[in-house]
Amino acid sequence: MNWNTWIRQIHRWLSIAFMVTVVANFVAMGLGEPSPWVVYSPLPPLFMLMFTGLYMFVLPYAAKWRSG
């Protein structure tokens, strides 16, 4: 597997992790006052999603720039 395929696969798995943490956040809020670690748990996958998403967004432009 090349580098781009790894980034795409990581992005997919991060999106699943982000979705699970958001659902857990809503469930915890429904049960009462959640602890801070539950409230902030979606942030790490979200930031990693941002970086992998920006990388994939720039790929076509970088390929055009490199080809001339």
Side-chain angles (χ1 to χ4, degrees), residues 18-45:
F18 177 70
M19 182 192 66
V20 168
T21 56
V22 169
V23 169
N25 202 342
F26 278 106
V27 169
M29 286 184 182
L31 296 176
E33 185 66 30
S35 62
W37 69 270
V38 174
V39 173
Y40 296 120
S41 64
L43 292 179

Side-chain angles (χ1 to χ4, degrees), residues 8-24:
R8 289 182 188 280
Q9 193 67 26
I10 290 169
H11 190 78
R12 288 184 189 122
W13 282 103
L14 282 172
S15 66
I16 292 170
F18 177 70
M19 182 192 66
V20 168
T21 56
V22 169
V23 169

Side-chain angles (χ1 to χ4, degrees), residues 4 57-68:
N4 295 335
F57 177 77
V58 171
L59 275 178
Y61 300 107
K64 284 182 188 176
W65 180 71
R66 275 188 249 150
S67 66

